[in-house]
């Protein structure tokens, strides 16, 4: 009995151990599944953050490639997510030029950049078409840095230094020049290809020439739309002074620093005033205890003078703040510097648009000329059809005569003697002459009715 009980205990322990092993295995599988799901979710999150390579150009002209996600760029530039979507290469956004609180967003042709007061962030810097622009931008920023350093050098005070543009305007000018130059070069290339193709089509209308002109017209429509969008963006900026004022990033940064320092100084001044007031109140309290009634009147007069001087101080502070606000508003609305910069490239892009409009008119004139030529040929074909139809109708009369004489009957014209042959020839000749006469009469009638030229 004891042996049987021990065997049952061993069997039960074995079963319990197997169940525990199974539970451990199931818990291990759950942990593995959870870890896999966590890793998958992490991968999705990493993929969804949209980490891209940005080329960073600082104010000294130094470049470096920065791997940053959308949220990092938003924190660095202060831009909302909808502005960063404009630069997304997967989305087809038209040309855009936006001024924000701390940055300028540029999406012009192949240039997708963010400009701040101290740096430029380029998105598609690895594109071969952007490489020349990067080199030109770096050279301009380097020259601007040297010019700014020279203007602050005390040794160059006697030199006549021209006004230096802010950093953001230097970068903006490089972007505008690159975009306008690309569009102008494409328009010039298209114009050089269009004129020979149109002239060849005018001299000879063929399927090959028509296909070539069709491709040129498609390219013309596409380039015109791109140029028109850039022109509209510049025109919108020039019409709105507030939008241009938003692009003064360096001035806004300097004003913010000035306001911060002013606020700090005002707070320190208020603290000093409170300390003086407290000290004066303590002195008056001590004076009232030590002196008699006359001293009390003097204390009252001193308190009144101090309170009036304090009020005067607050008025002066208020006036200073009001004048500072007015000067800031006036400075923001004084956008003549940026307006002149934008007008120069507006004139350039408007000239490109006029060149494309002239080319479009030339294409339309060529199409009208081709249509006129085709209509003229169609008219000639119609006239030829009228003449052939008339000839067929007249010849059918001669066929009728031949059909009559072709009947199987005996008449004297079929005799083989000389008289019968002569009558046969007169019949054939008369029928032919009558057919020609009818044809001439029909053609003369058509010309009289202006059906034929």
């Amino acid at each position: 009995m004891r042996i049987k009980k021990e065997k049952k205990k061993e069997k039960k322990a074995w079963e319990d151990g197997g169940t525990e092993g199974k539970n451990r295995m199931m818990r291990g599988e759950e942990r593995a599944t959870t870890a896999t799901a966590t890793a998958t979710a992490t991968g999705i999150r990493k993929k969804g953050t949209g980490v891209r390579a940005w080329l960073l150009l600082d104010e000294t002209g130094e470049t470096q490639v920065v791997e940053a996600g959308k949220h990092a760029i938003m924190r660095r530039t202060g831009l909302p997510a909808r502005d960063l979507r404009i630069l997304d290469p997967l989305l087809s956004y038209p040309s855009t030029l936006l001024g924000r609180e701390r940055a300028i967003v540029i999406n012009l042709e192949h240039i997708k950049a963010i400009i701040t007061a101290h740096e430029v962030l380029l998105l598609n810097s690895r594109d071969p078409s952007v490489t020349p622009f990067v080199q030109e931008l770096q050279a301009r920023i380097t020259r601007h840095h040297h010019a700014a350093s020279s203007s602050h050098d005390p040794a160059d005070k006697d030199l006549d230094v021209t006004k230096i543009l802010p950093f953001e305007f230097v970068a903006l000018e490089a972007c505008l020049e690159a975009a306008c130059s690309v569009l102008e070069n494409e328009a010039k290339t298209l114009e050089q290809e269009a004129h020979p193709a149109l002239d060849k089509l005018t001299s000879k209308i063929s399927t090959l020439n028509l296909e070539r002109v069709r491709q040129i017209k498609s390219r013309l429509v596409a380039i015109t739309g791109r140029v028109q969008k850039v022109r509209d963006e510049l025109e919108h900026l020039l019409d709105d002074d507030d939008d241009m004022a938003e692009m003064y990033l360096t001035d806004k940064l300097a004003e913010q620093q000035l306001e911060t320092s002013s606020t700090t100084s005002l707070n320190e001044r208020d603290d000093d005033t409170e300390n003086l007031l407290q000290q004066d109140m303590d002195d008056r309290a001590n004076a009232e205890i030590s002196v008699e009634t006359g001293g009390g009147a003097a204390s009252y007069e001193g308190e009144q003078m101090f309170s009036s001087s304090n009020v005067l101080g607050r008025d002066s502070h208020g006036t200073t703040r009001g004048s500072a606000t007015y000067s800031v508003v006036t400075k923001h609305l004084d956008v003549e510097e940026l307006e002149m910069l934008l007008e120069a490239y507006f004139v350039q892009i408007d000239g490109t648009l006029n060149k494309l409009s002239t080319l479009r008119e030339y294409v339309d004139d060529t199409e009208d000329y081709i249509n006129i030529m085709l209509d003229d040929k169609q008219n000639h074909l119609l006239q030829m059809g009228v003449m052939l139809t008339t000839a067929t109708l007249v010849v059918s009369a001669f066929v009728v005569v031949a059909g009559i004489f072709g009947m199987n009957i005996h008449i004297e014209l079929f005799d083989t003697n000389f008289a019968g042959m002569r009558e046969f020839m007169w019949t054939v000749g008369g029928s032919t002459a009558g057919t020609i006469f009818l044809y001439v009469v029909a053609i003369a009638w058509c010309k009289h009715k202006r059906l034929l030229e």
Side-chain angles (χ1 to χ4, degrees):
M1 293 295 291
R2 186 178 299 172
I3 295 173
K4 290 182 179 180
K5 289 181 180 180
E6 290 178 356
K7 288 183 177 179
K8 287 182 181 179
K9 289 180 180 179
E10 291 177 358
K11 185 177 181 181
K12 185 176 181 181
W14 174 263
E15 290 178 355
D16 293 339
T19 305
E20 186 178 358
K22 291 181 181 179
N23 292 334
R24 289 178 181 176
M25 185 179 295
M26 292 176 64
R27 287 196 296 271
E29 290 178 355
E30 290 177 356
R31 286 196 296 270
T33 305
T34 305
T36 304
T38 304
T40 305
T42 304
I44 293 174
R45 285 198 298 270
K46 288 182 179 179
K47 185 177 179 181
T49 53
V51 177
R52 294 189 177 93
W54 295 79
L55 181 65
L56 175 64
L57 287 87
D58 58 11
E59 56 186 355
T60 62
E62 298 294 331
T63 61
Q64 60 176 337
V65 178
V66 179
E67 296 285 341
K70 179 176 67 175
H71 297 288
I73 297 297
M74 291 169 60
R75 289 191 298 269
R76 190 183 187 98
T77 60
L79 293 174
R82 64 176 181 273
D83 291 340
L84 290 181
R85 283 196 294 271
I86 297 175
L87 304 178
D88 194 343
L90 301 178
L91 302 177
S92 179
Y93 274 90
S95 297
T96 308
L97 191 61
L98 299 176
R100 293 294 184 252
E101 181 65 26
R102 293 168 48 194
I104 300 174
V105 182
I106 296 178
N107 180 21
L108 296 177
E109 293 301 313
H110 58 291
I111 301 172
K112 299 179 183 296
I114 300 175
I115 301 174
T116 65
H118 300 292
E119 61 188 11
V120 180
L121 292 168
L122 285 174
L123 182 60
N124 54 344
S125 59
R126 298 177 181 176
D127 191 349
S129 61
V130 185
T131 303
F133 165 71
V134 174
Q135 296 175 355
E136 177 65 21
L137 178 61
Q138 187 177 8
R140 291 195 178 201
I141 292 176
T142 304
R143 290 196 298 267
H144 174 267
H145 177 66
H146 291 332
S149 301
S150 300
S151 64
H152 294 295
D153 191 359
D156 297 335
K157 286 184 178 180
D158 297 334
L159 300 177
D160 294 333
V161 180
T162 59
K163 186 176 181 180
I164 301 174
L165 291 175
F167 173 81
E168 63 271 15
F169 291 171
V170 174
L172 176 62
E173 184 178 7
C175 295
L176 290 174
E177 183 177 353
C180 294
S181 299
V182 167
L183 293 174
E184 187 176 3
N185 292 333
E186 290 187 13
K188 188 180 297 184
T189 303
L190 182 63
E191 187 179 14
Q192 292 175 356
E193 296 178 2
H195 285 285
L198 293 173
D199 295 339
K200 188 177 292 185
L201 179 63
T202 303
S203 60
K204 182 182 179 181
I205 301 175
S206 63
T207 305
L208 180 61
N209 293 334
L210 287 173
E211 178 63 22
R212 188 178 300 169
V213 172
R214 186 192 66 82
Q215 294 177 359
I216 289 175
K217 187 175 181 180
S218 299
R219 290 169 55 192
L220 175 61
V221 172
I223 295 175
T224 302
R226 290 158 52 194
V227 173
Q228 183 67 46
K229 182 58 181 175
V230 176
R231 182 187 179 278
D232 292 342
E233 283 295 317
L234 293 178
E235 186 178 11
H236 173 72
L237 282 175
L238 289 171
D239 291 340
D240 196 337
D241 291 344
D242 293 336
D243 289 344
M244 285 191 289
E246 287 291 334
M247 295 186 176
Y248 281 79
L249 304 179
T250 303
D251 292 347
K252 288 194 293 185
L253 184 61
E255 289 168 6
Q256 291 176 359
Q257 294 176 354
L258 180 61
E259 289 177 358
T260 303
S261 61
S262 300
T263 304
T264 305
S265 62
L266 287 175
N267 292 333
E268 292 177 354
R269 187 178 299 175
D270 292 338
D271 293 338
D272 295 338
T273 304
E274 290 178 358
N275 293 330
L276 291 174
L277 180 61
Q278 185 66 31
Q279 183 179 0
D280 185 72
M281 292 176 64
D282 295 339
D283 294 339
R284 285 201 306 273
N286 295 328
E288 288 176 357
I289 295 173
S290 58
V291 300
E292 296 178 352
T293 308
S299 175
Y300 176 76
E301 291 177 359
E303 182 179 358
Q304 186 175 6
M305 291 177 62
F306 180 80
S307 61
S308 62
S309 63
N310 193 10
V311 172
L312 181 60
R314 287 197 297 269
D315 291 340
S316 63
H317 290 167
T319 306
T320 303
R321 291 180 183 178
S323 61
T325 305
Y326 177 78
S327 64
V328 167
V329 173
T330 306
K331 191 172 184 179
H332 274 183
L333 294 180
D334 186 12
V335 292
E336 183 179 359
E337 187 177 20
L338 180 58
E339 188 175 6
M340 293 175 62
L341 175 64
L342 295 177
E343 280 180 353
Y345 293 99
F346 177 79
V347 171
Q348 182 180 355
I349 203 70
D350 190 62
T352 304
L353 184 61
N354 292 334
K355 186 184 297 183
L356 293 173
S357 300
T358 304
L359 182 59
R360 179 63 182 268
E361 291 177 359
Y362 186 64
V363 172
D364 293 339
D365 293 341
T366 304
E367 288 183 351
D368 295 339
Y369 178 72
I370 297 300
N371 291 329
I372 292 172
M373 290 178 62
L374 294 176
D375 292 340
D376 183 65
K377 288 185 177 181
Q378 187 176 6
N379 292 334
H380 284 296
L381 292 174
L382 291 175
Q383 291 178 8
M384 185 178 293
V386 171
M387 295 174 67
L388 292 175
T389 304
T390 304
T392 303
L393 178 63
V394 174
V395 170
S396 63
F398 184 78
V399 173
V400 171
V401 175
I404 293 173
F405 285 102
M407 294 181 182
N408 192 12
I409 58 176
H410 180 73
I411 57 177
E412 295 179 355
L413 292 175
F414 294 155
D415 293 340
T416 57
N417 55 10
F418 180 74
M421 182 60 68
R422 186 178 59 184
E423 292 176 353
F424 177 76
M425 294 301 294
W426 274 105
T427 301
V428 174
S431 299
T432 303
T435 301
I436 294 173
F437 176 74
L438 289 175
Y439 180 74
V440 171
V441 171
I443 294 298
W445 182 81
C446 289
K447 288 187 176 182
H448 177 72
K449 293 296 184 179
R450 296 183 180 277
L451 298 176
L452 296 175
E453 293 180 356

